[in-house]
Amino acid sequence: MATNYDKVASSYDLIRKIVLGNSIVKAQVSLLKFIPANSRILIVGGGTGWILEEISAIYSEGLKIDYVESSAKMIRLSQKKDHQSNEITYIHQPVEAYTTDKSYDVIITPFLFDNFQIEKISLIFNKLDTYLDKNGVWLYADFVYDETHNPLWQKILLKIMYFFFRITCKIETQQLVNMDQFFTALYYPVFKIAHYHNFIQSVAYRKKIN
């Protein structure tokens, strides 16, 4: 069965607030300053859609946003959010099935890649890379765990979260993949910040010019 967050959609924001406080929100909001006006934006795995309100608080109009989400219930929650005069296209589809001939100025992947094993990550990453304009920015936020430096409590918390979401949402993996191996070859960071005792990382990437 494919990963699907329908079962936890209505309580998802409460769950992440209880477990991680406001860190998930801060990790994503810290990146929004890199969105240019009048951008075409691809958001993949935006969850309940609160990020649309945060973006619209910066730009109340002029943005064209494609919102790709595999959970039908998450889509319905997102459609209730106030995006002001920005143009939002809601796409109920797994990212691995999404195809387009559009080119985006901004791609946002909030806590997306922690759902997949490395083979699918590679497929998704390479696909999204082709959709991002050569002058575009990729806004990435996700968990990060380094066994040689990070404390034991993070390892335990990560295992608990993976167990819960594997049971409820059928996510396919039980461990984080180091995303540096994908970004380093093609992108360079223009901004990086850690949250929640270095357990969460936010990075704004730009493409390297060959």
Side-chain angles (χ1 to χ4, degrees):
M1 184 181 292
T3 300
N4 192 297
Y5 278 74
D6 278 352
K7 287 185 178 180
V8 299
S10 60
S11 56
Y12 182 80
D13 286 344
L14 177 60
I15 292 170
R16 55 99 173 149
K17 189 171 185 178
I18 291 173
V19 177
L20 297 164
N22 205 36
S23 299
I24 295 287
V25 172
K26 288 180 179 179
Q28 296 173 63
V29 170
S30 67
L31 296 170
L32 300 185
K33 60 189 175 184
F34 292 96
I35 298 176
N38 303 311
S39 295
R40 183 180 292 278
I41 303 171
L42 174 64
I43 300 176
V44 183
T48 61
W50 62 264
I51 194 171
L52 295 173
E53 294 188 338
E54 295 289 342
I55 292 172
S56 298
I58 301 172
Y59 298 114
S60 61
E61 61 182 359
L63 302 178
K64 294 182 178 181
I65 302 175
D66 288 343
Y67 197 88
V68 177
E69 171 59 57
S70 62
S71 165
K73 289 186 178 180
M74 289 291 197
I75 288 284
R76 288 197 290 271
L77 290 170
S78 299
Q79 289 171 330
K80 297 177 182 179
K81 299 299 190 291
D82 181 11
H83 55 76
Q84 300 195 50
S85 296
N86 293 305
E87 179 183 325
I88 315 293
T89 301
Y90 299 95
I91 302 163
H92 176 213
Q93 195 173 41
V95 60
E96 57 266 36
Y98 176 66
T99 59
T100 183
D101 57 2
K102 297 176 184 177
S103 179
Y104 295 96
D105 303 299
V106 181
I107 289 179
I108 305 176
T109 53
F111 300 86
L112 171 71
F113 292 109
D114 57 36
N115 289 279
F116 306 113
Q117 296 178 344
I118 192 167
E119 295 80 10
K120 189 172 288 186
I121 289 174
S122 180
L123 182 153
I124 294 169
F125 180 89
N126 290 330
K127 175 187 288 190
L128 296 181
D129 174 63
T130 65
Y131 298 158
L132 185 63
D133 182 81
K134 65 180 181 179
N135 296 312
V137 60
W138 189 322
L139 305 182
Y140 165 86
D142 217 323
F143 296 102
V144 59
Y145 182 76
D146 182 347
E147 291 188 358
T148 61
H149 297 98
N150 290 24
L152 179 61
W153 69 263
Q154 292 184 2
K155 182 178 182 178
I156 295 171
L157 179 55
L158 193 62
K159 285 185 176 296
I160 293 171
M161 290 192 297
Y162 268 128
F163 176 78
F164 175 78
F165 286 110
R166 186 173 181 84
I167 296 298
T168 58
C169 306
K170 309 299 182 184
I171 64 171
E172 65 183 47
T173 188
Q174 297 183 67
Q175 61 182 13
L176 288 176
V177 171
N178 182 353
M179 291 301 298
D180 286 349
Q181 64 187 293
F182 294 96
F183 280 106
T184 299
L186 301 174
Y187 291 81
Y188 64 95
V190 294
F191 173 82
K192 181 183 291 187
I193 188 171
H195 311 268
Y196 204 72
H197 310 288
N198 298 316
F199 192 34
I200 295 172
Q201 189 176 78
S202 305
V203 190
Y205 287 103
R206 290 197 182 275
K207 286 191 173 184
K208 293 180 179 178
I209 299 175
N210 296 325

